[in-house]
Amino acid sequence: MNSKLDFEFYKKSADYILSKIEFVPEIAIVLGSCLGNLSEEIENKIIIDYKDIPNFLDATVDSHAGKLILGDLSGKKVVCMSGRFHYYEGYDFEELTIPMRVMHLLGCKMVILTNAAGAVNESFVAGDIMIIKDQIKLNGASPVRGKNIPEFGPRFFDMSNTYDKEYIEVAKKAAKISEIDIKEGVYFYMPGPQFETPAEIRAIRALGGDAVGMSTVTEAIVAAHCGMKVLGLSLMSNMAAGILDVPLTTEEVDETAERSEKKFRVLLKNILKQI
Ligand code: HPA
């Protein structure tokens, strides 16, 4: 348990970032491997390396960049996290509170969480985009366990509207405008870094999961705790283990992500326009 994580700890990160910008970002966007290049389109941008932000975490996964990009996108003031943090990298769940709490202290009222995930629902195909309507996290501790910090939110809090229904409708409308056939479903968290076994995927399906991935859920919990609205979008980078008779590889995940990046980008920009 990391007792250093008090309100002032997070505030130090936020104050540093605020000292570098002259606007309040409205929307935080966490770029998963499916949206790596989106930040190129941000205008009037200010880039801050994670490693320069006091008390922030530093990204350890190669393909993720480790930068905060702040500026304008589709007429909105945004802060993009290019590079996110996962439990499998060795962080405690408690440390994974840092990004969302800092985004909240910057003034963000909403976060768009994106990720690449394995398709568990057999009616999905690789390359599909799924709007997350709910999540299941049965593995590991809550990121907000330990002494509650009331400046962020109450000890016990509701998770029944975590993926905001209004934003789900906005995303569906944006998908229509973008001429994208959009899916909707439940994101099931697995800690990784190993991909799942076929038996685990059958269990996840029986429990109600439509997609499986190693990120997003802690961010959604922390955002819900501090009252930020959440929209979640998953790119189906592969069919989950055991559905097809082929082993899963990172190459396949990255390839599909790359192939679908443009579609994802168009959708995201249309979502921002509708908000
Ligand atoms: N399982 C877990 N995480 C993932 C997968 C998967 O099949 N694909 C992309 N991220």
Side-chain angles (χ1 to χ4, degrees):
M1 193 80 244
N2 194 336
S3 58
K4 277 191 318 201
L5 301 183
D6 59 8
F7 186 72
E8 290 306 316
F9 182 94
Y10 300 96
K11 196 162 172 297
K12 199 165 171 195
S13 302
D15 285 348
Y16 175 84
I17 298 163
L18 288 169
S19 76
K20 304 280 176 200
I21 55 175
E22 282 165 6
F23 60 89
V24 174
E26 308 161 63
I27 302 172
I29 307 173
V30 180
L31 304 178
S33 19
C34 46
L35 265 175
N37 298 325
L38 179 85
S39 53
E40 284 166 10
E41 297 201 28
I42 296 176
E43 291 165 11
N44 309 317
K45 65 180 154 224
I46 293 183
I47 302 176
I48 304 174
D49 278 341
Y50 291 167
K51 61 176 162 42
D52 294 333
I53 305 171
N55 295 344
F56 211 66
L57 302 168
D58 201 3
T60 70
V61 182
D62 293 349
S63 58
H64 292 218
K67 287 180 178 24
L68 216 55
I69 302 120
L70 302 108
D72 300 296
L73 187 62
S74 295
K76 298 289 185 307
K77 300 281 180 214
V78 299
V79 47
C80 268
M81 283 186 58
S82 175
R84 62 140 59 90
F85 308 101
H86 312 80
Y87 178 70
Y88 65 72
E89 292 172 82
Y91 301 110
D92 298 334
F93 280 112
E94 291 85 349
E95 288 177 298
L96 296 177
T97 54
I98 293 173
M100 285 309 107
R101 286 183 167 171
V102 172
M103 298 300 124
H104 167 71
L105 292 175
L106 295 181
C108 294
K109 302 274 180 275
M110 178 201 186
V111 59
I112 302 178
L113 301 173
T114 70
N115 61 56
V120 174
N121 185 322
E122 289 173 293
S123 73
F124 294 176
V125 293
D128 275 349
I129 299 174
M130 181 188 92
I131 301 171
I132 304 178
K133 62 177 185 194
D134 206 347
Q135 71 179 33
I136 301 177
K137 179 187 179 295
L138 303 178
N139 279 292
S142 167
V144 293
R145 81 189 259 265
K147 192 170 186 298
N148 186 49
I149 304 176
E151 288 93 332
F152 289 119
R155 167 79 301 178
F156 302 105
F157 56 101
D158 184 51
M159 287 287 292
S160 55
N161 192 29
T162 301
Y163 292 93
D164 188 81
K165 291 191 179 66
E166 269 175 45
Y167 286 127
I168 290 177
E169 289 311 311
V170 168
K172 283 192 198 166
K173 192 167 155 207
K176 209 167 194 179
I177 294 168
S178 319
E179 297 182 346
I180 292 169
D181 172 31
I182 199 92
K183 310 289 187 207
E184 236 184 297
V186 173
Y187 180 92
F188 194 105
Y189 170 73
M190 286 292 271
Q194 75 284 6
F195 290 121
E196 300 69 34
T197 64
E200 284 167 343
I201 294 301
R202 287 194 297 277
I204 290 168
R205 189 179 299 119
L207 289 171
D210 296 292
V212 61
M214 306 175 195
S215 66
T216 301
V217 296
T218 48
E219 295 150 346
I221 293 168
V222 177
H225 182 240
C226 62
M228 282 165 84
K229 305 243 182 200
V230 180
L231 173 68
L233 299 169
S234 289
L235 172 73
M236 300 303 111
S237 56
N238 55 282
M239 295 311 287
I243 296 180
L244 306 174
D245 193 19
V246 288
L248 298 192
T249 63
T250 331
E251 286 72 28
E252 182 191 0
V253 172
D254 290 346
E255 247 170 58
T256 316
E258 223 166 275
R259 209 163 17 90
S260 311
E261 210 245 346
K262 198 165 156 231
K263 173 167 94 165
F264 212 117
R265 215 192 257 226
V266 169
L267 173 65
L268 197 102
K269 287 198 291 182
N270 277 328
I271 289 172
L272 290 175
K273 280 187 202 147
Q274 304 294 317
I275 288 174

